[in-house]
């Protein structure tokens, strides 16, 4: 059997080991140190817009801290995009709040601004104003943030941007990760760049980011002994992981370019095939194309997305259905949901194709052979 082609695998640039070696040489083997500070600076420089970054142990930790910092408490409701990975929604339950799920719109496959406003109005009518809103930039495609933040502003509700999949994406030149009150990044092993595991909380509010660092290191008051006035967390990024991150930041632009090239090649290759469609960028929107995703209309294509997934799997090529929406997850079956059928359809017909920036032309040829045999 030929080598496995992965959906999205880590792709080191070369200098990561230099930063990690420095950590060893100077004995900074801890969740603090020069690499952590340097990595935060790199993120701030890349994102621009006067933002500040706190490097954390994961994106999930970042979402949890964001909710804590915004004061979301037990009994609150938080509006969350339904079409996403469970890590977006789980932290809402960590703070004792209830997720209220909102469906996607078909331009970006992300949170529908219309349904968001409908949900806000209905929750207020039922007696409770939502405590926060969490849109997600799925697969690197920015959500309709101008519309979403305008609505949120009108009702005085803070927005947490889940930019875990969208480092390098932007709207009209403004980068994802700077488009909300608080933003969260992930550097998990499958993301566009990785620290093996890691994340960051980003905000223009310097005091809030300082508070994130404080809470992420066990909330130790200033005292020679260990004294605590608030509940803390052990959520800081390790100096070793941050070393990997510094190296990865040097190649981020290349990784975005390569992922976009992979998308373009799939698009060209599949554009003539009946029943296959892509998620195009709305005007002014720029996606890092973390994963190339397609929709297969089985009535037109004569094949389902599951037919293609199994055909790829038979050739040792990994692909994956789009995220199963949260409103369809057994664990969230009792949560309120405002839907229009978009995410149900995306889940039924959507597939993520292998999109790694380290795929070879031979890998792509293997994938194209399967695609060509399935679709005329
Ligand atoms: C990966 C991911 C997360 C979680 O990030 P981790 O660093 O793995 O905890 C959250 N939301 C989305 C949309 C993700 O893809």
């Amino acid at each position: 059997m030929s080598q496995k082609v992965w959906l999205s695998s880590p792709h080191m640039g070369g200098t990561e080991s230099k930063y990690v070696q420095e950590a060893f040489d100077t004995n900074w083997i801890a969740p603090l140190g020069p690499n952590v500070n340097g990595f935060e600076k790199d993120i701030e420089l890349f994102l621009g817009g006067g933002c500040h970054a706190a490097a954390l142990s994961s994106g999930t930790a970042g979402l949890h801290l964001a909710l804590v910092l915004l004061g979301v408490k037990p009994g609150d409701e938080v509006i969350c995009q339904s079409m996403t990975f469970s890590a977006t929604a789980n932290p809402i339950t960590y703070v004792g709040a209830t997720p209220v799920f909102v469906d996607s719109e078909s331009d970006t496959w992300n949170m529908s601004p219309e349904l968001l406003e409908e949900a806000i109005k209905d929750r207020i009518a039922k007696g409770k104003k939502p405590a926060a809103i969490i849109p997600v930039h799925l697969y690197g495609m920015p959500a309709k943030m101008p519309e979403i933040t305008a609505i949120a502003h009108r009702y005085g509700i803070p927005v947490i941007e889940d930019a875990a999949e969208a480092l390098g994406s932007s709207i009209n030149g403004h980068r994802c990760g700077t488009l909300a009150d608080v933003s969260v990044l992930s550097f998990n092993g499958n993301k566009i760049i990785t620290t093996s595991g890691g994340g960051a909380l980003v905000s223009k509010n310097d005091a809030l980011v300082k508070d994130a660092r404080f809470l992420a290191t066990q909330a130790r008051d200033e005292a020679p002994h260990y004294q605590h006035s608030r509940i803390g967390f052990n959520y800081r990024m390790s100096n070793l992981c941050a070393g990997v991150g510094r190296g990865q930041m040097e190649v981020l632009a290349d990784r975005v370019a390569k992922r976009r090239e992979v998308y373009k090649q799939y698009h060209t290759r599949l554009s003539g095939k009946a029943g296959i469609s892509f998620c195009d960028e709305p005007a002014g929107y720029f996606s890092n194309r973390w994963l190339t995703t397609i929709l297969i209309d089985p009535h037109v294509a004569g094949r389902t997305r599951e037919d293609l997934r199994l055909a790829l799997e038979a050739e040792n090529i990994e692909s994956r259905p789009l995220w199963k929406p949260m409103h369809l997850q057994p664990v969230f079956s009792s949560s309120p949901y405002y839907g229009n059928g978009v995410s149900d359809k995306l889940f039924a017909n959507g597939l993520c194709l292998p999109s790694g920036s380290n795929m070879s032309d031979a890998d792509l040829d293997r994938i194209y052979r399967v695609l060509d045999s399935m679709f005329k």
Side-chain angles (χ1 to χ4, degrees):
M1 179 70 88
S2 39
Q3 255 202 329
K4 176 136 183 162
V5 179
W6 298 97
L7 193 67
S8 175
S9 69
H11 185 187
M12 293 298 105
T15 63
E16 292 85 359
S17 50
K18 181 194 80 178
Y19 291 108
V20 173
Q21 187 61 48
E22 265 173 34
F24 274 88
D25 293 343
T26 53
N27 207 29
W28 280 103
I29 315 291
L32 80 168
N35 282 335
V36 175
N37 302 338
F39 184 43
E40 287 177 346
K41 282 274 149 2
D42 292 344
I43 295 168
E44 289 166 1
L45 269 176
F46 177 81
L47 292 179
C51 69
H52 305 274
L56 302 172
S57 54
S58 71
T60 309
L63 288 159
H64 186 189
L65 277 184
L67 291 162
V68 170
L69 288 163
L70 291 175
V72 180
K73 54 187 192 308
D76 281 350
E77 291 184 341
V78 173
I79 293 188
C80 181
Q81 183 166 317
S82 182
M83 183 81 192
T84 188
F85 177 44
S86 63
T88 311
N90 287 339
I92 297 168
T93 70
Y94 302 169
V95 295
T98 304
V100 172
F101 294 112
V102 164
D103 210 347
S104 292
E105 45 78 28
S106 47
D107 294 344
T108 69
W109 301 2
N110 294 310
M111 184 181 278
S112 156
E114 286 75 29
L115 278 177
L116 166 64
E117 183 151 27
E118 190 182 312
I120 293 171
K121 281 184 179 157
D122 193 53
R123 298 327 289 175
I124 291 174
K126 288 188 161 70
K128 212 174 258 180
K129 186 168 97 169
I133 301 166
I134 314 182
V136 189
H137 311 302
L138 278 192
Y139 309 114
M141 179 62 75
K144 292 195 167 166
M145 294 305 284
E147 291 85 348
I148 289 168
T149 51
I151 293 165
H153 197 77
R154 220 177 309 132
Y155 291 89
I157 304 171
V159 178
I160 301 168
E161 179 191 12
D162 183 345
E165 301 178 1
L167 186 59
S169 302
S170 58
I171 301 177
N172 295 322
H174 301 288
R175 292 202 192 274
C176 292
T178 66
L179 304 178
D181 300 289
V182 190
S183 307
V184 173
L185 305 173
S186 168
F187 307 106
N188 199 12
N190 59 349
K191 298 300 194 310
I192 194 154
I193 62 165
T194 180
T195 60
S196 75
L201 181 146
V202 178
S203 176
K204 285 173 188 133
N205 182 340
D206 192 18
L208 185 135
V209 173
K210 287 203 173 93
D211 218 20
R213 294 194 191 103
F214 175 77
L215 291 181
T217 48
Q218 308 286 21
R220 287 170 53 190
D221 292 346
E222 258 182 77
H225 50 274
Y226 277 61
Q227 175 177 298
H228 308 274
S229 307
R230 293 161 74 189
I231 297 292
F233 303 87
N234 185 4
Y235 277 172
R236 201 75 164 114
M237 180 178 279
S238 133
N239 195 53
L240 294 178
C241 294
V244 178
R246 287 179 88 180
Q248 288 274 277
M249 285 304 287
E250 293 176 8
V251 294
L252 173 56
D254 295 340
R255 298 296 179 263
V256 173
K258 182 61 204 272
R259 298 246 179 186
R260 286 179 61 84
E261 179 59 29
V262 167
Y263 174 87
K264 207 171 113 194
Q265 287 197 35
Y266 278 126
H267 197 282
T268 307
R269 193 81 179 207
L270 291 169
S271 60
K273 314 241 186 224
I276 295 187
S277 60
F278 290 79
C279 186
D280 294 323
E281 291 165 323
Y285 281 54
F286 181 91
S287 170
N288 68 10
R289 295 295 184 192
W290 170 55
L291 295 183
T292 291
T293 53
I294 56 171
L295 291 181
I296 301 170
D297 181 343
H299 306 295
V300 179
R303 308 274 193 171
T304 66
R305 71 121 154 87
E306 194 58 10
D307 293 335
L308 176 57
R309 193 187 69 78
L310 292 172
L312 288 165
E313 190 173 81
E315 296 299 321
N316 208 19
I317 298 164
E318 186 185 28
S319 66
R320 196 192 292 146
L322 300 193
W323 298 123
K324 179 170 184 173
M326 293 303 110
H327 73 272
L328 299 178
Q329 298 287 354
V331 73
F332 291 122
S333 57
S334 63
S335 290
Y337 169 60
Y338 295 82
N340 54 14
V342 168
S343 65
D344 300 71
K345 213 170 277 158
L346 290 171
F347 175 59
N349 295 336
L351 193 71
C352 304
L353 297 174
S355 307
S357 49
N358 48 4
M359 281 196 305
S360 66
D361 288 343
D363 291 337
L364 280 166
D365 281 339
R366 274 172 61 196
I367 299 164
Y368 293 146
R369 263 200 302 276
V370 177
L371 292 170
D372 287 339
S373 73
M374 297 280 294
F375 303 99
K376 300 298 161 212

